[in-house]
Amino acid sequence: MGLSDIALLKTGTHYFLHLVFPVFIALVFFRDNWKKAYCILLATMLVDLDHIFANPVFDPSRNSIGFHILHSYYAIAVYFLLLFFKENIRIVAVGLLFHMLTDFLDFNMWMH
C-alpha cells in the first residue's frame, strides 16, 4: 500500500466517521427521533468553522485537538457537561464529542 493509498484511506475514514457513522449513533441512541438526531449530529460539523482562524486553514500534520478554539480542552470539557442536559442539547453534546474523537483518531492513528 503506497502513501497515496494511505492518504485516501485516511481521508475516506475521516469523512465516513464525520458523515456516515452518525447515522448509526442516531439509530442506536436516539431511535425515536433518529432523523432529527442525525441532522443535529451533522450540524455539529459547524464546529470546524474555527479552522478559518488558522493559517493555513487546513494542515494535515496539525492536530486540531488543543489547537483550534472550539477544539480546545476547555471546549471539550463544556461539551462533556452538555451531556447532562436533555434532548437536543444532549444530541449536540454527543455530536461534538464524537467529532473531537474523530479528529483525535484522525491525527493519532495515522502516520503524518
Side-chain angles (χ1 to χ4, degrees):
M1 186 176 270
L3 287 177
S4 63
D5 294 328
I6 292 172
L8 184 62
L9 184 60
K10 175 184 177 182
T11 301
T13 301
H14 182 82
Y15 287 107
F16 172 82
L17 290 173
H18 274 321
L19 302 172
V20 178
F21 194 79
V23 169
F24 301 106
I25 294 172
L27 286 169
V28 170
F29 295 105
F30 309 103
R31 181 173 294 282
D32 294 338
N33 292 314
W34 74 269
K35 290 177 186 175
K36 176 183 173 183
Y38 176 64
C39 289
I40 293 171
L41 292 171
L42 284 183
T44 63
M45 294 288 292
L46 291 172
V47 74
D48 276 340
L49 286 174
D50 63 356
H51 289 244
I52 64 174
F53 299 110
N55 188 14
V57 171
F58 175 72
D59 181 355
S61 65
R62 178 175 61 216
N63 188 356
S64 294
I65 306 300
F67 183 82
H68 303 291
I69 187 126
L70 297 177
H71 291 69
S72 69
Y73 295 106
Y74 296 112
I76 293 169
V78 170
Y79 305 154
F80 180 78
L81 291 174
L82 293 177
L83 286 172
F84 297 98
F85 287 75
K86 293 185 179 189
E87 299 177 16
N88 293 344
I89 302 297
R90 182 173 293 153
I91 298 169
V92 168
V94 169
L96 290 169
L97 289 170
F98 186 71
H99 184 101
M100 297 303 127
L101 176 64
T102 298
D103 285 359
F104 175 83
L105 292 174
D106 186 53
F107 182 78
N108 290 294
M109 298 300 288
W110 299 94
M111 294 181 293
H112 41 265

